[in-house]
Amino acid sequence: MMQGRDVLAHYISRHNRGVRNGDFEPLLELFTDSARLELDGVGLGPFTGKREISRAFAERPPSDELVLV
């Protein structure tokens, strides 16, 4: 079982791969049907459920890579 920082690093890796190649499916695999995604300071969301999160990524895909500091 992955712990805090490892989970976040895994998410960031899939996010950044999606930004680079436009395929967010590997990232979306991390979300459950009942997931909730909240983005602070972005002016989008919150998004509830994998379907809504997937639609959000399709309609307005992220264009910035994330960095774990």
Side-chain angles (χ1 to χ4, degrees), residues 22-66:
D23 179 12
F24 288 95
E25 283 304 314
L27 173 66
L28 294 168
E29 290 172 356
L30 300 177
F31 293 95
T32 65
D33 291 338
S34 61
R36 180 173 170 91
L37 178 63
E38 295 186 37
L39 306 165
D40 290 338
V42 178
L44 298 171
F47 305 104
T48 303
K50 187 173 184 172
R51 183 174 294 175
E52 190 173 312
I53 294 167
S54 181
R55 184 172 44 246
F57 273 84
E59 291 174 359
R60 293 194 58 179
S63 58
D64 293 333
E65 291 191 24
L66 301 175

Side-chain angles (χ1 to χ4, degrees), residues 3 6 8-9 14-15 18-19 21 31 34 36 38 41 65 69:
Q3 299 299 314
D6 295 330
L8 189 54
R14 289 183 183 212
H15 170 96
V19 168
N21 68 19
F31 293 95
S34 61
R36 180 173 170 91
E38 295 186 37
E65 291 191 24
V69 292

